[in-house]
């Protein structure tokens, strides 16, 4: 089916170029140029260069905040990985692309992206997901009114039914395509439908299969699809041969060989005969003229004959030496080229090893995260329950220590996962509106308790010229300042910490801001300043033992500042304090943000609600049930996905808490099956792995929201309350 995929891809490429010409700017044209060069190299099967120019398009679009062009670049990269049969990388880029397209109007690009995801899942034999994304593509194509594409999607859905063993339904789907008027559908789709029908009938009714193949052959000739015609003629020859129809088998075999040889001859066609004859005639004239001139020279003087002979011999000798030199140089060049090829092959092998190692590290960290977060959820959950049970004063110290240790371990796990994430190429920079003043005030306010414990006074100094609303990535800015302020307060006792932001340069729609975090703490030794931003590095072993920490905070800060377009610098003197500073440019927004105060939900939203918990871990069952009952909710527990699906057919709940990893069918498949008969009941996923990579995938199965283990109690209650309340307001 790869040629059908290429047909839709060409439509996408033409539409993309047209839309970029219509809204032409220098920036968009640059992205369009890179994508066109990438598509050219892909057509020439030079996938390395195709990827190189597609990534240049993505980098340029990202630097200039061109959201649609970022999506187009990810889509092109996904198409290249699909051609290389690297479906996991293709799906990853498609999902990044469709996340952006979902914020734009439906277009041929978004429809083609959904179609491409379906094809990739079909290649992976994940038929349910493939069918799901083909349905989404069909909906998009109907909105933008492209009926021919619907025929291609119907064809793919028929192939899915055929893979599932639903032969009658698949045949019905194929016949529906063949019964349409040729002018109203794509020729290749109709020919392929006949080909699939013939494939179904080959074993049971070969003669009927031959009739369908001959119809497919006639249509493929009209569509001029040479690759499709080759497949059909080869299958016809084989079928006639199986029926002992030798003449017909030879007829179609000759057709097959003729088409194949014609393609070969096109590539190997050489210069015509007239040009060659003209060349020979010219050389003959030159030879005759040379002979005449030599005869005249001999007539004038025979004395020069010896000199001419000597010169001729010398010339021959020189030519011989030149020929020998060229021969040796050619041997050296051949050996050098072979050596370069060997080195390139070695580099490719090393590159593949490095990619496998990187992938293995990511998978290992994901596994470690899941295995550590599950028991950590039990530790933090039980600690939270015991603290709320009014323990004895003598027990509070132990419980607070246990809570601190659990939170410290969770911070350590999160730091390791975060450093792995920011070192990869998958981190995207957000561009949303935010209030810098509120962001810094809230961050500093969260450190009040730690500052009071260390008897540290913190100060916030903000330039009045800073606009009230900026456009940027507040999440990454928060991570930067949380790490810097946490270090400043931790290493400063009985001292001061200053956080400042001043306008360094103003433009019409943007502003460059100079940020500083300085303290009067213990400082950093000079011999440690150059390596302080490396992973797992602190001022000294004694500092690590006394103050604790993972040594990853500043490494994360350095990479995040780099992602935002800045460079962090450090001035420090031992026992006198440290100063971290950097500059970042942010765009100015005309919007005014509303300040949110107080909790984001009302506890009355939880009272009396009936919750179904699908969880196989006994400890997690007990903890989650206790947390629900503390807010006066009722809880029913089921331990596996199959029972949960059957139970939901006959019972009604206000909300379902669905663990993603379950024995038997997992939580995503269970959710997908429940959604077939119950689209209304809110379902919240519970997962013990990072959501940065898979939240979009989990929500695509029908989940309303996802909560990460171990639970933050307030966040846990807030998600449940707002999800239920949102459903009630919708009804």
């Amino acid at each position: 089916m790869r040629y059908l995929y290429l047909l839709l891809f060409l439509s996408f490429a033409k539409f993309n170029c047209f839309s970029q010409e219509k809204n032409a700017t220098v920036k968009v044209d640059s992205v369009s140029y890179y994508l066109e060069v990438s598509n050219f190299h892909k057509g020439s099967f030079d996938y390395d260069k195709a990827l190189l120019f597609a990534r240049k398009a993505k980098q340029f679009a990202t630097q200039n905040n061109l959201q649609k062009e970022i999506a187009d670049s990810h889509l092109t990269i996904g198409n290249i990985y699909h051609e290389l049969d690297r479906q996991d990388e293709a799906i990853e880029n498609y999902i990044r692309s469709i996340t952006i397209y979902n914020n734009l109007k439906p277009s041929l690009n978004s429809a083609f992206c959904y179609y491409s995801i379906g094809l990739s899942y079909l290649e992976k034999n994940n038929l349910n997901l493939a069918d799901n994304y083909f349905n989404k593509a069909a909906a998009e194509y109907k909105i933008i009114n492209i009926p021919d594409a619907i025929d291609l999607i119907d064809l793919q859905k028929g192939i899915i039914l055929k893979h599932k063993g639903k032969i009658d339904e698949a045949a019905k789907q194929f016949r529906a395509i063949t019964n349409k008027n040729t002018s109203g559908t794509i020729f290749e789709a109709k020919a392929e439908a006949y080909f699939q029908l013939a494939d179904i009938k080959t074993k049971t009714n070969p003669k009927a299969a031959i009739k369908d193949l001959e119809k497919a052959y006639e249509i493929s000739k009209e569509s001029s699809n040479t690759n499709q015609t080759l497949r059909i003629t080869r299958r016809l020859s084989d079928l006639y041969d199986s029926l002992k129809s030798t003449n017909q088998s030879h007829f179609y075999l000759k057709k097959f060989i003729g088409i194949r040889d014609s393609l070969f001859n096109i590539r190997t066609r050489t210069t015509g005969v007239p040009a060659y004859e003209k060349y020979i005639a010219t050389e003959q004239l030159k030879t005759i003229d040379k002979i005449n001139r030599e005869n005249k020279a001999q007539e004038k003087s025979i004395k020069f004959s010896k000199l001419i002979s000597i010169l001729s011999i010398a010339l021959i000798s020189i030519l011989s030496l030149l020929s020998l030199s060229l021969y040796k140089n050619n041997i050296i060049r051949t050996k050098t080229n072979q050596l370069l090829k060997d080195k390139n092959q070695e580099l490719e092998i090393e590159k593949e090893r490095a990619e496998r190692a990187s992938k293995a590290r990511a998978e290992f960290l994901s596994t470690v995260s899941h295995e550590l977060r599950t028991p950590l959820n039990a530790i933090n959950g039980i600690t939270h329950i015991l603290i709320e049970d009014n323990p004895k004063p003598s027990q509070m110290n132990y419980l607070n220590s246990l809570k601190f240790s659990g939170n410290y371990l969770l911070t350590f796990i999160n730091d390791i996962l975060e450093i792995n994430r920011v070192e990869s190429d998958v981190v995207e920079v957000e561009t949303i509106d935010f209030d810098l003043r509120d962001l810094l005030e809230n961050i500093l306010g969260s450190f009040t308790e730690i500052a009071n414990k260390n008897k540290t006074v913190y100060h916030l100094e903000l330039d009045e010229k800073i606009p009230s609303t900026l456009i940027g990535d507040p999440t990454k800015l928060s991570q930067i300042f949380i790490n810097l302020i946490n270090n400043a307060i931790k290493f400063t006792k009985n001292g001061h910490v200053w956080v400042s932001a001043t306008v360094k340069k103003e433009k019409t729609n943007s502003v460059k801001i100079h940020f500083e975090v300085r303290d009067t703490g213990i400082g950093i030794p000079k011999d440690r300043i150059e390596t302080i931003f490396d992973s797992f590095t602190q001022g000294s072993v004694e500092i690590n033992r006394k103050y604790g920490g993972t040594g990853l905070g500043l490494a994360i800060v350095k990479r995040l500042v780099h992602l935002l377009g800045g460079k962090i610098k450090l001035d420090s003197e031992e026992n006198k304090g440290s100063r971290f500073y950097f500059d970042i440019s942010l765009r100015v927004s005309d919007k005014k943000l509303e300040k949110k105060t107080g909790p984001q939900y009302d506890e009355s939203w939880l009272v009396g609600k009936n919750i179904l918990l699908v969880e196989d871990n006994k400890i997690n069952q007990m903890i989650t049930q206790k947390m629900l009952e503390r807010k006066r909710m009722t809880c029913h527990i089921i331990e596996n996905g199959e029972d949960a699906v059957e139970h939901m057919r006959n019972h009604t709940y206000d909300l379902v808490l669905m663990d993603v990893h379950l024995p038997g069918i997992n939580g995503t498949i269970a959710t997908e099956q429940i959604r077939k008969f119950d689209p209304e009941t809110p379902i919240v996923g519970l997962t013990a792995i990072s959501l940065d990579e898979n939240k979009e995938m989990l929500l695509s199965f029908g989940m309303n929201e996802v909560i990460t283990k171990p639970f933050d109690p307030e966040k846990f209650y807030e998600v449940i309350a707002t999800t239920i309340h949102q459903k009630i307001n919708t009804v």
Side-chain angles (χ1 to χ4, degrees), residues 507-522:
K507 292 185 179 179
T508 305
N509 298 318
S510 65
V511 60
K512 177 180 281 189
I513 300 177
H514 177 76
F515 295 100
E516 279 192 17
V517 176
R518 64 185 189 276
D519 60 69
T520 60
I522 63 175

Side-chain angles (χ1 to χ4, degrees), residues 203-249:
K203 292 183 180 179
T204 58
N205 193 346
K207 292 183 178 180
I210 286 175
K211 290 182 179 180
D212 287 333
L213 282 173
E214 288 178 338
K215 292 177 182 178
Y217 174 68
E218 294 299 324
I219 295 172
S220 70
K221 289 195 299 182
E222 295 182 24
S223 67
S224 301
N225 190 321
T226 309
N227 290 328
Q228 190 180 53
T229 307
L230 277 173
R231 293 171 63 233
I232 296 170
T233 52
R234 184 57 188 243
R235 183 64 66 85
L236 277 167
S237 175
D238 292 340
L239 267 179
Y240 273 119
D241 184 59
S242 67
L243 294 175
K244 307 301 182 183
S245 298
T246 306
N247 292 334
Q248 286 296 100
S249 176

Side-chain angles (χ1 to χ4, degrees), residues 131-401:
D131 189 46
N132 181 30
Y133 280 103
F134 284 137
N135 288 334
K136 292 181 179 181
E140 295 278 306
Y141 280 122
K142 286 180 181 178
I143 293 174
I144 60 178
N145 193 22
I146 301 183
D148 287 347
I150 302 299
D151 293 331
L152 281 175
I153 292 173
D154 289 340
L155 178 65
Q156 300 294 346
K157 293 173 76 66
I159 293 172
I160 289 174
L161 291 170
K162 181 181 169 189
H163 281 306
K164 288 182 176 181
K166 299 179 180 180
I167 303 301
D168 293 337
E169 295 180 34
K172 182 179 178 182
Q173 190 88 350
F174 297 138
R175 281 194 293 271
I177 297 173
T178 59
N179 290 335
K180 291 187 178 181
N181 294 329
T182 306
S183 59
T185 187
I186 298 175
F187 283 105
E188 283 87 345
K190 194 168 185 178
E192 182 64 19
Y194 274 119
F195 186 89
Q196 294 293 335
L197 285 171
D199 190 53
I200 292 172
K201 299 175 184 177
T202 296
K203 292 183 180 179
T204 58
N205 193 346
K207 292 183 178 180
I210 286 175
K211 290 182 179 180
D212 287 333
L213 282 173
E214 288 178 338
K215 292 177 182 178
Y217 174 68
E218 294 299 324
I219 295 172
S220 70
K221 289 195 299 182
E222 295 182 24
S223 67
S224 301
N225 190 321
T226 309
N227 290 328
Q228 190 180 53
T229 307
L230 277 173
R231 293 171 63 233
I232 296 170
T233 52
R234 184 57 188 243
R235 183 64 66 85
L236 277 167
S237 175
D238 292 340
L239 267 179
Y240 273 119
D241 184 59
S242 67
L243 294 175
K244 307 301 182 183
S245 298
T246 306
N247 292 334
Q248 286 296 100
S249 176
H250 286 174
F251 172 78
Y252 283 107
L253 184 59
K254 288 179 181 179
K255 289 282 185 184
F256 171 81
I257 295 172
I259 296 170
R260 186 191 63 187
D261 290 347
S262 67
L263 289 174
F264 178 77
N265 290 334
I266 289 172
R267 298 190 186 98
T268 57
R269 190 173 297 154
T270 57
T271 306
V273 176
Y276 177 74
E277 292 176 347
K278 184 178 179 181
Y279 168 77
I280 295 297
T282 302
E283 291 298 314
Q284 289 176 343
L285 288 174
K286 289 180 179 179
T287 303
I288 292 171
D289 182 62
K290 182 178 179 181
I291 292 172
N292 288 335
R293 284 188 284 105
E294 288 178 353
N295 289 335
K296 289 180 181 180
Q298 288 176 358
E299 290 174 0
K300 289 180 180 180
S301 178
I302 300 175
K303 294 180 181 180
F304 292 103
S305 60
K306 291 183 179 180
L307 180 60
I308 292 172
S309 299
I310 294 170
L311 291 174
S312 298
I313 294 171
L315 181 61
I316 292 172
S317 300
I318 293 171
L319 290 175
S320 299
L321 291 172
L322 287 174
S323 299
L324 180 61
S325 177
L326 289 173
Y327 174 73
K328 290 183 176 180
N329 287 338
N330 186 54
I331 293 175
I332 294 172
R333 185 170 62 252
T334 302
K335 291 182 178 179
T336 304
N337 289 339
Q338 184 60 44
L339 181 62
L340 289 173
K341 288 181 180 179
D342 294 340
K343 291 295 182 183
N344 287 336
Q345 188 173 5
E346 291 177 5
L347 289 174
E348 286 293 329
I349 294 172
E350 291 301 322
K351 178 184 175 184
E352 291 178 0
R353 287 177 180 172
E355 289 176 350
R356 286 197 300 269
S358 177
K359 186 176 181 181
R361 183 181 71 168
E363 292 175 353
F364 171 75
L365 287 173
S366 178
T367 302
V368 169
S369 171
H370 179 270
E371 294 302 322
L372 289 178
R373 284 174 183 269
T374 299
L376 189 57
N377 182 55
I379 294 170
N380 287 359
I382 293 173
T383 304
H384 174 76
I385 291 170
L386 291 175
I387 290 175
E388 287 197 344
D389 277 342
N390 297 319
K392 298 177 182 178
S394 60
Q395 295 174 332
M396 279 301 297
N397 290 332
Y398 299 112
L399 292 175
N400 287 330
S401 297

